[in-house]
Amino acid sequence: MTLRAWGLALLAAMACGFIAGRWSVPPAKPLTIGAKQALPERDLSPKGEVRTVIVTRIVPGTPEAPPAHPEGIGQHLSTTATALPALAGPGTFHSAIFGQVEGPRLTLRTLQWLDTPAGRVSLGDASTRETVTSFPMPRARPEPRWTVAALPAVQDGRLIVGAMVEHTRGPLVIGVGYLDNRAFGIVGARW
């Protein structure tokens, strides 16, 4: 085989690999936020206190929309409504959480309002203190690192059997094989 024929064969193999690689990549799956089922409320109040610290009950469904919200703060994820019986008059405190994904970062923003039988009540300064937290995401499927293959071939009407072993590290592929009393090496890339 001439050098030109080898070059054309290499280009054809790379083009076929590129096309097959693009077709075989599974589509990205969205990250789903929100509980599938109802979760109970839990009282975490310190000893001697009654209902001062609670984990709120989760009820799947459409959250109550806030009376107003600005554009560009993301999707409405949840609304928590807390009855405030200790107030001079009855009231319900609402806290809505909006989320927005930018690259690998999820930003959460909270909207709050207080409803009473007389209408909404003004609120004081509000702030959220948050820490940067990273959650490792599971891969859609683990990428295989090793490949072992049998290489059957027919030459002059007789069956020739060989073998090949490949190791992949990131985009680099290296391997060795043996066929028809000849050893060979593999160096390549995957995408």
Side-chain angles (χ1 to χ4, degrees):
M1 231 175 163
T2 66
L3 186 59
R4 182 168 190 245
W6 276 105
L8 289 174
L10 179 63
L11 284 174
M14 289 175 64
C16 290
F18 178 78
I19 292 168
R22 288 294 172 211
W23 282 339
S24 65
V25 173
K29 293 184 179 178
L31 173 66
T32 302
I33 299 172
K36 292 187 287 189
Q37 60 191 25
L39 299 174
E41 177 187 286
R42 288 188 292 159
D43 189 347
L44 302 179
S45 304
K47 190 173 181 177
E49 295 182 359
V50 179
R51 291 184 58 80
T52 56
V53 179
I54 59 172
V55 176
T56 61
R57 177 177 62 248
I58 293 181
V59 180
T62 303
E64 181 182 350
H69 68 86
E71 293 295 323
I73 62 170
Q75 292 183 334
H76 190 183
L77 304 178
S78 67
T79 299
T80 301
T82 306
L84 302 174
L87 292 179
T92 303
F93 180 74
H94 301 272
S95 179
I97 297 178
F98 285 72
Q100 187 169 24
V101 175
E102 295 174 5
R105 182 177 298 273
L106 169 64
T107 303
L108 300 175
R109 298 297 301 270
T110 304
L111 276 71
Q112 301 172 334
W113 67 100
L114 179 59
D115 283 330
T116 67
R120 273 196 299 280
V121 177
S122 63
L123 300 171
D125 287 342
S127 65
T128 299
R129 184 168 296 190
E130 66 181 17
T131 183
V132 175
T133 306
S134 295
F135 293 100
M137 299 300 293
R139 295 178 115 168
R141 65 176 185 188
E143 292 288 340
R145 298 183 75 184
W146 288 93
T147 304
V148 178
L151 302 174
V154 177
Q155 182 179 24
D156 298 329
R158 65 183 175 93
L159 180 65
I160 302 169
V161 179
M164 175 184 78
V165 177
E166 280 183 357
H167 178 69
T168 304
R169 174 166 264 157
L172 179 65
V173 178
I174 57 172
V176 294
Y178 184 80
L179 181 65
D180 192 26
N181 296 324
R182 292 188 179 113
F184 60 89
I186 300 167
V187 177
R190 67 173 187 163
W191 55 90

Coordinates of all heavy atoms in Angstrom, one line a residue, residues 5-92:
A5 N -2.4 6.0 -0.2 CA -3.5 5.1 0.1 C -3.7 5.0 1.6 O -4.8 4.9 2.1 CB -3.2 3.7 -0.5
W6 N -2.5 4.9 2.3 CA -2.6 4.9 3.8 C -3.3 6.1 4.3 O -4.1 6.1 5.3 CB -1.2 4.7 4.4 CG -0.8 3.3 4.5 CD1 0.2 2.7 3.7 CD2 -1.2 2.3 5.4 NE1 0.3 1.3 4.1 CE2 -0.6 1.1 5.1 CE3 -2.2 2.3 6.4 CZ2 -0.8 -0.1 5.8 CZ3 -2.4 1.1 7.1 CH2 -1.7 -0.1 6.8
G7 N -2.9 7.3 3.8 CA -3.4 8.5 4.2 C -4.9 8.6 4.0 O -5.7 9.1 4.8
L8 N -5.4 8.2 2.8 CA -6.8 8.2 2.4 C -7.6 7.2 3.4 O -8.7 7.5 3.8 CB -7.0 7.8 1.0 CG -6.6 8.9 0.0 CD1 -6.7 8.3 -1.5 CD2 -7.4 10.1 0.1
A9 N -7.0 6.1 3.6 CA -7.6 5.1 4.5 C -7.8 5.7 5.9 O -8.8 5.5 6.6 CB -6.9 3.8 4.6
L10 N -6.7 6.4 6.4 CA -6.8 7.0 7.7 C -7.8 8.1 7.8 O -8.6 8.2 8.7 CB -5.4 7.6 8.1 CG -5.3 8.3 9.4 CD1 -5.5 7.3 10.5 CD2 -3.9 8.9 9.6
L11 N -7.9 8.9 6.7 CA -8.9 10.0 6.7 C -10.3 9.4 6.7 O -11.2 9.9 7.4 CB -8.7 10.9 5.5 CG -7.6 11.9 5.6 CD1 -7.4 12.6 4.3 CD2 -7.9 12.9 6.7
A12 N -10.5 8.3 5.9 CA -11.8 7.7 5.8 C -12.2 7.1 7.2 O -13.3 7.2 7.7 CB -11.8 6.6 4.8
A13 N -11.2 6.5 7.9 CA -11.5 5.9 9.2 C -11.8 7.0 10.2 O -12.8 6.9 11.0 CB -10.3 5.1 9.7
M14 N -11.1 8.1 10.1 CA -11.4 9.2 11.1 C -12.8 9.8 10.8 O -13.5 10.1 11.7 CB -10.3 10.3 11.0 CG -9.0 9.9 11.5 SD -7.7 11.0 11.3 CE -8.2 12.4 12.2
A15 N -13.2 10.0 9.5 CA -14.5 10.5 9.2 C -15.6 9.6 9.7 O -16.6 10.0 10.3 CB -14.6 10.8 7.7
C16 N -15.4 8.3 9.4 CA -16.4 7.3 9.9 C -16.5 7.4 11.4 O -17.6 7.3 12.0 CB -16.1 5.9 9.4 SG -16.3 5.7 7.6
G17 N -15.4 7.4 12.1 CA -15.4 7.5 13.6 C -16.0 8.7 14.1 O -16.8 8.7 15.1
F18 N -15.8 9.9 13.4 CA -16.4 11.1 13.8 C -17.9 11.0 13.7 O -18.6 11.4 14.6 CB -15.8 12.3 13.0 CG -16.4 13.6 13.3 CD1 -16.0 14.3 14.5 CD2 -17.5 14.1 12.5 CE1 -16.6 15.5 14.8 CE2 -18.0 15.4 12.8 CZ -17.6 16.1 14.0
I19 N -18.4 10.5 12.6 CA -19.8 10.4 12.3 C -20.5 9.5 13.3 O -21.5 9.8 14.0 CB -20.1 10.0 10.9 CG1 -19.7 11.2 9.9 CG2 -21.6 9.7 10.7 CD1 -19.7 10.8 8.5
A20 N -19.8 8.3 13.5 CA -20.4 7.3 14.5 C -20.4 7.9 15.9 O -21.3 7.7 16.7 CB -19.6 6.0 14.4
G21 N -19.3 8.6 16.2 CA -19.2 9.2 17.6 C -20.3 10.2 17.8 O -20.9 10.3 18.9
R22 N -20.6 11.0 16.8 CA -21.7 12.0 17.0 C -23.0 11.4 17.1 O -23.9 11.8 17.9 CB -21.7 13.0 15.8 CG -20.5 13.9 15.8 CD -20.6 14.9 17.0 NE -19.4 15.6 17.1 CZ -18.9 16.1 18.3 NH1 -19.5 15.8 19.4 NH2 -17.8 16.7 18.3
W23 N -23.3 10.3 16.4 CA -24.6 9.7 16.5 C -24.8 8.9 17.7 O -25.9 8.6 18.2 CB -24.8 8.7 15.3 CG -25.2 9.5 14.0 CD1 -25.7 10.7 13.9 CD2 -25.0 9.0 12.7 NE1 -25.9 11.1 12.6 CE2 -25.5 10.0 11.8 CE3 -24.5 7.9 12.1 CZ2 -25.5 9.9 10.5 CZ3 -24.5 7.7 10.7 CH2 -25.0 8.8 9.9
S24 N -23.7 8.4 18.3 CA -23.8 7.5 19.5 C -23.8 8.3 20.8 O -23.9 7.7 21.9 CB -22.6 6.5 19.5 OG -21.4 7.2 19.6
V25 N -23.6 9.6 20.8 CA -23.6 10.4 22.0 C -25.0 10.5 22.5 O -25.9 11.0 21.8 CB -22.9 11.7 21.8 CG1 -23.1 12.6 23.1 CG2 -21.4 11.6 21.5
P26 N -25.3 10.1 23.8 CA -26.7 10.2 24.2 C -27.0 11.7 24.5 O -26.1 12.4 24.9 CB -26.7 9.4 25.6 CG -25.3 9.4 26.0 CD -24.4 9.5 24.8
P27 N -28.3 12.0 24.3 CA -28.6 13.4 24.6 C -28.5 13.7 26.1 O -28.7 12.9 26.9 CB -30.1 13.5 24.1 CG -30.6 12.1 24.2 CD -29.4 11.2 23.9
A28 N -28.2 15.0 26.4 CA -28.0 15.4 27.7 C -29.4 15.3 28.4 O -30.4 15.7 27.9 CB -27.5 16.9 27.8
K29 N -29.4 14.8 29.7 CA -30.6 14.7 30.4 C -30.7 15.9 31.4 O -29.7 16.2 32.0 CB -30.6 13.4 31.2 CG -30.7 12.2 30.4 CD -30.8 10.9 31.2 CE -30.9 9.7 30.3 NZ -30.9 8.4 31.0
P30 N -31.9 16.5 31.5 CA -32.0 17.6 32.4 C -31.9 17.2 33.8 O -32.3 16.1 34.2 CB -33.4 18.2 32.0 CG -34.1 17.0 31.5 CD -33.1 16.2 30.8
L31 N -31.4 18.1 34.7 CA -31.4 17.9 36.1 C -32.8 18.2 36.6 O -33.3 19.3 36.3 CB -30.4 18.7 36.8 CG -30.4 18.8 38.3 CD1 -30.0 17.4 38.9 CD2 -29.5 19.8 38.9
T32 N -33.5 17.3 37.3 CA -34.8 17.6 37.8 C -34.8 18.0 39.3 O -34.2 17.4 40.1 CB -35.7 16.3 37.7 OG1 -35.7 15.9 36.3 CG2 -37.1 16.5 38.1
I33 N -35.4 19.1 39.5 CA -35.5 19.7 40.9 C -36.9 19.5 41.4 O -37.9 19.9 40.7 CB -35.0 21.1 40.9 CG1 -33.6 21.3 40.4 CG2 -35.2 21.7 42.3 CD1 -33.1 22.7 40.2
G34 N -37.1 19.0 42.6 CA -38.4 18.9 43.1 C -38.7 17.4 43.5 O -38.2 16.5 42.9
A35 N -39.5 17.3 44.6 CA -39.8 15.9 45.1 C -40.9 15.3 44.2 O -41.8 15.9 43.7 CB -40.3 16.0 46.5
K36 N -40.8 13.9 44.1 CA -41.8 13.2 43.3 C -43.0 12.9 44.2 O -44.1 12.6 43.7 CB -41.2 11.9 42.8 CG -40.2 12.0 41.8 CD -39.8 10.7 41.2 CE -38.9 9.9 42.3 NZ -38.3 8.7 41.7
Q37 N -42.9 12.9 45.5 CA -44.0 12.5 46.4 C -44.0 13.5 47.6 O -43.0 14.2 47.9 CB -43.8 11.1 46.9 CG -42.5 10.9 47.6 CD -42.2 9.4 47.9 OE1 -42.7 8.5 47.2 NE2 -41.4 9.1 48.9
A38 N -45.1 13.4 48.3 CA -45.2 14.3 49.5 C -44.3 13.8 50.6 O -44.0 12.6 50.7 CB -46.7 14.2 50.0
L39 N -43.7 14.8 51.3 CA -42.8 14.5 52.4 C -43.3 15.2 53.6 O -43.8 16.3 53.6 CB -41.4 15.0 52.0 CG -40.7 14.4 50.8 CD1 -39.4 15.1 50.5 CD2 -40.5 12.9 51.0
P40 N -43.2 14.5 54.8 CA -43.8 15.1 56.0 C -43.0 16.2 56.6 O -41.8 16.4 56.4 CB -43.9 13.9 56.9 CG -42.7 13.0 56.5 CD -42.6 13.2 55.0
E41 N -43.7 17.0 57.4 CA -43.1 18.1 58.2 C -42.4 17.4 59.4 O -42.8 16.4 59.9 CB -44.2 19.0 58.7 CG -43.6 20.2 59.5 CD -44.7 21.0 60.2 OE1 -45.4 21.8 59.4 OE2 -45.0 20.8 61.4
R42 N -41.3 18.1 59.8 CA -40.5 17.6 61.0 C -40.3 18.8 61.9 O -39.9 19.8 61.4 CB -39.2 16.9 60.6 CG -39.4 15.6 59.9 CD -38.1 14.9 59.7 NE -37.3 15.5 58.7 CZ -36.0 15.4 58.5 NH1 -35.3 14.6 59.4 NH2 -35.4 16.1 57.6
D43 N -40.4 18.6 63.2 CA -40.2 19.6 64.2 C -38.8 19.4 64.7 O -38.5 18.4 65.3 CB -41.2 19.5 65.3 CG -41.1 20.7 66.3 OD1 -40.2 21.4 66.2 OD2 -42.1 20.8 67.1
L44 N -37.9 20.4 64.5 CA -36.5 20.3 64.9 C -36.3 21.2 66.1 O -35.1 21.6 66.4 CB -35.5 20.7 63.8 CG -35.6 19.9 62.5 CD1 -34.6 20.4 61.5 CD2 -35.4 18.4 62.8
S45 N -37.3 21.7 66.8 CA -37.2 22.7 67.8 C -36.3 22.2 69.0 O -36.4 21.0 69.3 CB -38.6 23.0 68.4 OG -39.4 23.5 67.3
P46 N -35.5 23.1 69.5 CA -34.7 22.7 70.7 C -35.6 22.3 71.9 O -36.8 22.7 71.9 CB -33.9 24.0 71.0 CG -33.9 24.8 69.8 CD -35.2 24.4 69.1
K47 N -35.1 21.6 72.8 CA -35.9 21.1 73.9 C -36.5 22.3 74.7 O -35.8 23.3 75.0 CB -35.0 20.3 74.9 CG -35.8 19.6 76.0 CD -34.9 18.6 76.7 CE -35.7 17.9 77.8 NZ -34.9 17.0 78.5
G48 N -37.7 22.2 75.0 CA -38.4 23.3 75.8 C -39.1 24.3 74.9 O -39.8 25.2 75.3
E49 N -38.8 24.3 73.5 CA -39.5 25.2 72.6 C -40.5 24.4 71.8 O -40.3 23.2 71.5 CB -38.5 25.8 71.7 CG -37.5 26.8 72.4 CD -36.5 27.4 71.4 OE1 -36.6 27.1 70.2 OE2 -35.7 28.2 71.9
V50 N -41.6 25.1 71.4 CA -42.7 24.4 70.7 C -42.7 25.0 69.3 O -43.0 26.2 69.1 CB -44.0 24.6 71.4 CG1 -45.1 23.9 70.6 CG2 -43.9 24.0 72.8
R51 N -42.5 24.2 68.3 CA -42.6 24.6 66.9 C -41.8 25.9 66.6 O -42.4 26.9 66.1 CB -44.0 24.7 66.4 CG -44.7 23.3 66.4 CD -46.1 23.4 65.9 NE -46.2 24.0 64.6 CZ -45.9 23.4 63.4 NH1 -45.6 22.1 63.5 NH2 -46.0 24.0 62.3
T52 N -40.6 25.9 66.9 CA -39.8 27.1 66.5 C -38.8 26.9 65.4 O -38.4 27.8 64.7 CB -39.0 27.6 67.8 OG1 -38.2 26.6 68.2 CG2 -39.9 28.1 68.9
V53 N -38.5 25.6 65.1 CA -37.6 25.3 64.0 C -38.3 24.0 63.4 O -38.4 23.0 64.0 CB -36.2 24.9 64.4 CG1 -35.3 24.5 63.2 CG2 -35.6 26.1 65.2
I54 N -38.7 24.2 62.1 CA -39.3 23.0 61.4 C -38.8 22.8 60.0 O -38.2 23.7 59.4 CB -40.9 23.2 61.3 CG1 -41.2 24.5 60.5 CG2 -41.5 23.3 62.7 CD1 -42.7 24.7 60.2
V55 N -38.8 21.6 59.6 CA -38.5 21.2 58.2 C -39.9 21.2 57.6 O -40.8 20.4 58.0 CB -37.9 19.8 58.1 CG1 -37.7 19.5 56.6 CG2 -36.5 19.8 58.8
T56 N -40.2 22.0 56.6 CA -41.5 22.1 56.0 C -42.0 20.9 55.3 O -41.1 20.2 54.7 CB -41.6 23.3 55.1 OG1 -40.7 23.2 54.0 CG2 -41.3 24.6 55.8
R57 N -43.3 20.7 55.3 CA -43.9 19.6 54.6 C -43.8 19.9 53.1 O -43.9 21.1 52.7 CB -45.3 19.4 55.0 CG -46.1 18.4 54.2 CD -47.6 18.3 54.8 NE -48.3 19.5 54.6 CZ -48.7 20.3 55.6 NH1 -48.5 20.0 56.9 NH2 -49.4 21.4 55.4
I58 N -43.5 18.9 52.2 CA -43.5 19.1 50.8 C -44.7 18.5 50.2 O -45.1 17.4 50.4 CB -42.2 18.5 50.1 CG1 -41.0 19.2 50.6 CG2 -42.3 18.5 48.6 CD1 -39.7 18.7 50.1
V59 N -45.4 19.3 49.4 CA -46.6 18.9 48.7 C -46.4 19.1 47.2 O -46.2 20.2 46.7 CB -47.9 19.7 49.1 CG1 -49.1 19.3 48.4 CG2 -48.0 19.7 50.6
P60 N -46.2 18.0 46.4 CA -46.0 18.2 45.0 C -47.1 18.9 44.3 O -48.3 18.8 44.7 CB -45.9 16.7 44.5 CG -45.5 15.9 45.7 CD -46.2 16.6 46.8
G61 N -46.8 19.7 43.3 CA -47.8 20.5 42.6 C -47.3 21.8 42.2 O -46.1 22.1 42.4
T62 N -48.2 22.7 41.7 CA -47.8 24.0 41.2 C -47.7 24.9 42.5 O -48.6 25.1 43.2 CB -48.8 24.6 40.3 OG1 -49.0 23.7 39.2 CG2 -48.4 25.9 39.7
P63 N -46.5 25.5 42.7 CA -46.4 26.4 43.8 C -47.2 27.7 43.7 O -47.4 28.2 42.5 CB -44.9 26.7 43.9 CG -44.4 26.4 42.5 CD -45.3 25.4 41.9
E64 N -47.6 28.3 44.8 CA -48.3 29.6 44.8 C -47.4 30.7 44.2 O -46.3 30.8 44.7 CB -48.8 29.9 46.2 CG -49.6 31.2 46.2 CD -50.0 31.6 47.7 OE1 -49.8 30.7 48.6 OE2 -50.4 32.7 47.9
A65 N -47.9 31.4 43.2 CA -47.1 32.4 42.6 C -47.0 33.6 43.5 O -48.0 34.0 44.2 CB -47.7 32.8 41.3
P66 N -45.9 34.3 43.5 CA -45.8 35.6 44.3 C -46.7 36.7 43.6 O -47.0 36.6 42.5 CB -44.3 35.9 44.3 CG -43.8 35.2 43.1 CD -44.6 34.0 42.9
P67 N -47.1 37.7 44.4 CA -47.9 38.8 43.9 C -47.2 39.5 42.7 O -47.8 40.1 41.8 CB -48.1 39.7 45.0 CG -47.8 38.9 46.3 CD -46.9 37.8 45.9
A68 N -45.8 39.6 42.8 CA -45.0 40.2 41.8 C -43.6 39.7 41.8 O -43.2 39.2 42.9 CB -45.0 41.7 42.0
H69 N -43.0 39.7 40.7 CA -41.5 39.3 40.7 C -40.9 39.9 39.4 O -41.5 40.0 38.4 CB -41.3 37.8 40.8 CG -41.8 37.0 39.6 ND1 -41.0 36.8 38.5 CD2 -42.9 36.4 39.3 CE1 -41.6 36.1 37.6 NE2 -42.8 35.8 38.1
P70 N -39.6 40.2 39.6 CA -38.9 40.8 38.4 C -38.5 39.7 37.4 O -38.5 38.5 37.7 CB -37.6 41.4 39.0 CG -37.4 40.5 40.2 CD -38.8 40.1 40.7
E71 N -38.2 40.1 36.2 CA -37.8 39.2 35.1 C -36.3 38.8 35.4 O -35.6 39.6 36.0 CB -37.9 39.8 33.8 CG -39.3 40.1 33.3 CD -40.1 38.8 33.1 OE1 -39.5 37.8 32.6 OE2 -41.3 38.8 33.5
G72 N -35.9 37.7 34.9 CA -34.5 37.4 34.9 C -34.0 36.8 36.2 O -32.8 36.8 36.5
I73 N -34.9 36.3 37.1 CA -34.4 35.6 38.3 C -34.6 34.1 38.2 O -34.4 33.4 39.2 CB -35.1 36.2 39.6 CG1 -36.6 35.9 39.5 CG2 -34.8 37.6 39.8 CD1 -37.3 36.2 40.8
G74 N -35.0 33.6 37.1 CA -35.1 32.2 36.9 C -36.5 31.6 36.9 O -37.5 32.3 36.8
Q75 N -36.6 30.3 37.1 CA -37.8 29.5 37.2 C -38.3 29.4 38.6 O -37.5 29.3 39.5 CB -37.7 28.1 36.6 CG -37.4 28.2 35.1 CD -37.3 26.7 34.5 OE1 -37.0 25.8 35.2 NE2 -37.6 26.6 33.3
H76 N -39.6 29.5 38.7 CA -40.3 29.3 40.1 C -40.2 27.9 40.5 O -40.8 27.0 39.9 CB -41.7 29.8 39.9 CG -42.4 30.0 41.3 ND1 -43.7 30.3 41.4 CD2 -41.9 29.8 42.5 CE1 -44.1 30.4 42.6 NE2 -43.0 30.1 43.4
L77 N -39.4 27.6 41.6 CA -39.2 26.3 42.1 C -40.2 25.9 43.2 O -40.7 24.7 43.2 CB -37.8 26.1 42.5 CG -36.7 26.4 41.6 CD1 -35.3 26.3 42.2 CD2 -36.8 25.6 40.3
S78 N -40.4 26.7 44.1 CA -41.2 26.4 45.3 C -41.7 27.6 46.0 O -41.1 28.7 45.8 CB -40.5 25.5 46.2 OG -39.4 26.2 46.9
T79 N -42.8 27.4 46.7 CA -43.3 28.5 47.6 C -43.6 27.8 49.0 O -44.3 26.8 49.0 CB -44.5 29.2 47.1 OG1 -44.2 29.8 45.8 CG2 -45.1 30.2 48.0
T80 N -43.1 28.4 50.0 CA -43.3 27.9 51.4 C -44.3 28.9 52.1 O -44.0 30.1 52.0 CB -42.0 27.8 52.2 OG1 -41.2 26.9 51.5 CG2 -42.3 27.3 53.6
A81 N -45.4 28.4 52.6 CA -46.3 29.2 53.4 C -46.3 28.8 54.8 O -46.4 27.6 55.1 CB -47.7 29.1 52.8
T82 N -46.0 29.8 55.7 CA -45.9 29.5 57.2 C -46.9 30.3 57.9 O -46.9 31.6 57.8 CB -44.5 29.8 57.7 OG1 -43.5 29.1 56.9 CG2 -44.3 29.4 59.1
A83 N -47.8 29.7 58.6 CA -48.8 30.4 59.5 C -48.1 31.0 60.7 O -47.2 30.3 61.2 CB -49.9 29.4 59.9
L84 N -48.4 32.2 61.0 CA -47.7 32.9 62.2 C -48.7 33.2 63.2 O -49.2 34.3 63.4 CB -47.0 34.2 61.7 CG -46.0 34.0 60.6 CD1 -45.5 35.3 60.0 CD2 -44.8 33.2 61.1
P85 N -49.1 32.2 64.1 CA -50.1 32.4 65.1 C -49.7 33.3 66.2 O -50.5 33.9 67.0 CB -50.4 31.0 65.6 CG -49.1 30.2 65.3 CD -48.6 30.8 64.1
A86 N -48.3 33.5 66.4 CA -47.9 34.4 67.5 C -48.0 35.9 67.2 O -47.8 36.7 68.1 CB -46.4 34.1 67.8
L87 N -48.4 36.3 66.0 CA -48.6 37.7 65.7 C -49.8 38.2 66.4 O -50.7 37.4 66.8 CB -48.7 37.9 64.2 CG -47.5 37.6 63.3 CD1 -47.9 37.9 61.8 CD2 -46.3 38.5 63.7
A88 N -49.9 39.5 66.5 CA -51.1 40.1 67.1 C -52.4 39.7 66.4 O -53.4 39.5 67.0 CB -50.9 41.6 67.2
G89 N -52.3 39.7 65.0 CA -53.4 39.2 64.2 C -52.9 38.0 63.4 O -51.7 37.9 63.2
P90 N -53.7 37.2 62.9 CA -53.2 36.0 62.1 C -52.6 36.5 60.8 O -52.9 37.5 60.3 CB -54.5 35.2 61.9 CG -55.6 36.2 62.0 CD -55.2 37.2 63.0
G91 N -51.6 35.7 60.4 CA -50.9 36.0 59.2 C -50.2 34.8 58.6 O -50.0 33.8 59.3
T92 N -49.9 34.9 57.4 CA -49.1 33.8 56.7 C -47.9 34.4 56.0 O -48.1 35.3 55.2 CB -50.0 33.0 55.7 OG1 -51.2 32.5 56.4 CG2 -49.3 31.9 55.1

